């Protein structure tokens, strides 16, 4: 006959395998990628989260009949916001840290948030009681989001609260409050990093009452009694095979993992390629080919649905990156074109200045004969530059400088800012410079040119002034 211990081990192994197969068949919520499809869990640097555009739905992972206390067997083990590697990490645990497991989904254990964990709630749905850290929910179906001490992400929904539910406020994050994870908020850790210790007490399955916000690696710290008697022999697991990870039969023996298919292996390779691509400069990433590979995998009918959906999510994330890459490429091209045009304009300006110096042309804002005007503005009389041939006004002049007013009747050139007077519907210059010019040399080499000039200056012109600023039109 087989020894009683041997029979118990065989029964336990059969129970675990049957429950694992049953969970695969009965899955009705969003599938997740197999753990071999992403970067290793023990990496000290958290993996790039696949959630980049909006929050995924709440993972409906039911609590098991029994819960247990487990001890972490690795260092830098990521606690995640959902039951897959694609969910962002919220904290890290080290070897010897204890966790309280209340449920499982495939290879992922649903755990009570470790000490130091936090959640987020929108401020617009919370009323903080005066003089306390208690917040009262003021809406229905208010989303509670998983927070992280490792990044600023706040997209994964943990549960929903309703009017008059209370939360413990532990901090502020712009439009959100940081809160202690309320009852019903859970996180996840991969089962290969947790060794079962004993069945958990009711108190241990409750979230920490008032966790302090920390930014390092934290672990759950309930009072754990050492294994004795039946507990040391694995007694508590007889009624809860659904929570028992695949544990080595003897110390040091590696846990047996289900074999991965070709699709899972391909997903793992593509995810490794994805991580390598993210390390390249944004404008040089070969995203299109990588996205097509993920899309092809998502369309394979022979792949497990969890693999196909993980590939589809990754392809969607790459589409977002492609959009950002296209925007960057366009911005860089526009900047290059602008610099090229700016260089061209600067070159033209230098050429014009050189030609002006070569021809000896003096540039004014306006030229004409200074004359009086009947128009007044603010009690001050305006002057005007006119065409001496017919008395037509070229532009109006505002000045109180005696040296300038003594030049009435002379042909002058002025420099100054041109202002359009809305009330008078005329253009007015307040001259910074006014000096006499030779009217016969206006718009001719060696003479002068201007933006505003009399029509008569162009009559009888025998030679074109090359390289000067061409006036818009003679004033009427």
């Amino acid at each position: 006959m087989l020894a009683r211990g041997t029979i118990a081990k065989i029964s336990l192994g059969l129970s675990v395998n049957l429950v694992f197969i049953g969970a695969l068949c009965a899955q009705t919520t969003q599938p997740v990628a197999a753990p071999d499809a992403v970067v290793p869990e023990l990496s000290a640097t958290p993996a790039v989260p696949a959630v980049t555009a909006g929050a995924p739905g709440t993972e409906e992972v039911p609590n098991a009949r029994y819960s247990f206390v487990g001890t972490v067997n690795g260092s830098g083990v990521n606690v995640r916001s959902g039951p897959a590697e694609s969910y962002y990490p919220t904290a890290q645990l080290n070897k010897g840290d204890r966790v309280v497991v209340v449920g499982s989904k495939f290879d992922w254990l649903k755990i009570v948030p470790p000490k130091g964990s936090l959640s987020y709630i929108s401020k617009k749905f919370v009323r903080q009681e005066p003089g306390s850290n208690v917040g009262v929910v003021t809406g229905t179906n208010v989303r509670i989001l998983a927070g992280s001490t490792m990044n600023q992400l706040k997209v994964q929904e943990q549960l929903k609260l309703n009017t008059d539910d209370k939360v413990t406020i532990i901090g502020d994050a712009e439009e959100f409050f940081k809160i202690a994870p309320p009852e019903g908020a859970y996180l996840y850790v991969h089962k290969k990093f947790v060794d079962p210790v004993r069945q958990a007490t009711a108190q241990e399955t409750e979230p920490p009452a008032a966790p302090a916000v920390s930014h390092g690696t934290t672990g759950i710290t309930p009072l754990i009694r050492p294994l004795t008697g039946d507990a040391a022999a694995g007694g508590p697991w007889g009624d809860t095979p659904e929570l028992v990870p695949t544990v080595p039969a003897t110390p040091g023996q590696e846990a047996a993992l289900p074999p991965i298919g070709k699709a899972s292996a391909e997903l793992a390779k593509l995810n490794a390629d994805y991580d390598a691509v993210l390390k390249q400069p944004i404008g040089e990433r070969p995203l299109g080919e990588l996205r097509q590979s993920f899309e092809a995998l998502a369309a394979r009918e022979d792949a497990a649905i969890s693999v196909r959906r993980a590939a589809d999510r990754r392809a969607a994330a790459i589409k977002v990156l492609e959009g950002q890459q296209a925007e960057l490429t366009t911005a860089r091209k526009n900047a290059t074109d602008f610099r090229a045009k700016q260089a061209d304009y600067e070159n033209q300006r230098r050429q014009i200045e050189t030609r002006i110096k070569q021809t000896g042309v003096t540039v004014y804002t306006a030229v004409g004969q200074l004359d009086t005007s009947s128009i007044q503005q603010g009690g001050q009389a305006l002057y005007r530059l006119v065409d001496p041939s017919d008395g037509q006004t070229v532009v109006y002049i505002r000045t109180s400088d005696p040296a300038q007013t003594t030049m009435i009747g002379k042909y002058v050139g002025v420099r100054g800012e041109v202002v359009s007077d809305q009330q008078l519907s005329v253009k007015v210059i307040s001259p910074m410079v006014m000096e006499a010019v030779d009217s016969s040399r206006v718009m001719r080499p060696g003479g002068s040119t201007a933006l505003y000039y009399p029509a008569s200056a162009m009559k009888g012109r025998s030679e074109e002034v090359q390289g000067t600023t061409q006036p818009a039109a003679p004033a009427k």
Side-chain angles (χ1 to χ4, degrees), residues 351-370:
Q351 291 180 7
I352 291 172
E353 289 180 349
T354 300
R355 291 176 182 176
I356 288 176
K357 290 179 181 179
Q358 291 174 346
T359 58
V361 174
T362 302
V363 180
Y364 294 100
T365 306
V367 295
Q369 180 177 303
L370 184 64

Side-chain angles (χ1 to χ4, degrees), residues 389-472:
S389 66
D390 55 14
Q392 291 291 320
T393 300
V394 176
V395 69
Y396 286 86
I397 302 295
R398 180 188 291 111
T399 181
S400 56
D401 186 347
Q404 294 179 352
T405 57
T406 58
M407 300 181 73
I408 293 175
K410 295 182 179 180
Y411 204 96
V412 298
V414 299
R415 297 192 191 96
E417 181 181 2
V418 181
V419 178
S420 295
D421 190 297
Q422 300 298 326
Q423 288 184 321
L424 303 176
S425 298
V426 297
K427 296 186 182 299
V428 181
I429 300 176
S430 297
M432 298 178 63
V433 174
M434 180 182 290
E435 54 193 16
V437 298
D438 184 352
S439 61
S440 65
R441 303 303 303 166
V442 173
M443 308 304 290
R444 286 167 173 77
S448 59
T449 185
L451 180 64
Y452 298 93
Y453 58 92
S456 62
M458 300 299 292
K459 294 179 180 179
R461 179 175 176 178
S462 60
E463 186 176 352
E464 192 73 29
V465 177
Q466 299 294 328
T468 61
T469 301
Q470 184 65 31

Side-chain angles (χ1 to χ4, degrees), residues 220-244:
I220 200 77
T221 56
L223 294 176
I224 305 296
R225 292 175 293 181
L227 296 177
T228 59
D230 292 338
W237 310 125
D239 294 331
T240 58
E242 71 275 18
L243 284 183
V244 183

Side-chain angles (χ1 to χ4, degrees), residues 21 55 66 78 124 169 180 253 274 309 320 453 470:
I21 294 171
Y66 295 97
N78 285 328
K124 64 182 179 179
I169 298 174
Q253 180 182 349
Y274 175 81
R309 292 195 179 180
V320 175
Y453 58 92
Q470 184 65 31

Side-chain angles (χ1 to χ4, degrees), residues 80-82 88-90 118-121 143-148 151-159 185-187:
R80 296 191 178 273
S81 57
Y88 56 90
T90 64
L118 68 144
S119 300
Y120 289 100
I121 186 172
R143 301 170 68 230
I144 303 300
L145 307 177
S148 174
N151 54 62
Q152 301 299 314
L153 293 174
K154 48 180 78 67
V155 295
Q156 177 58 37
E157 181 180 310
Q158 292 180 299
L159 74 159
Y186 297 100
L187 299 172

Side-chain angles (χ1 to χ4, degrees), residues 39 87 109 123-124 153 164 177 185 212 217 293 354 380 415:
V39 295
Y87 290 88
L109 301 180
K123 287 181 179 178
K124 64 182 179 179
L153 293 174
D164 295 333
F177 278 128
T217 301
S293 297
T354 300
Q380 179 185 14
R415 297 192 191 96

Side-chain angles (χ1 to χ4, degrees), residues 200-218:
T201 65
Q203 291 77 11
E204 289 169 341
T205 61
E206 297 176 357
V213 178
S214 62
H215 298 281
T217 301
T218 58

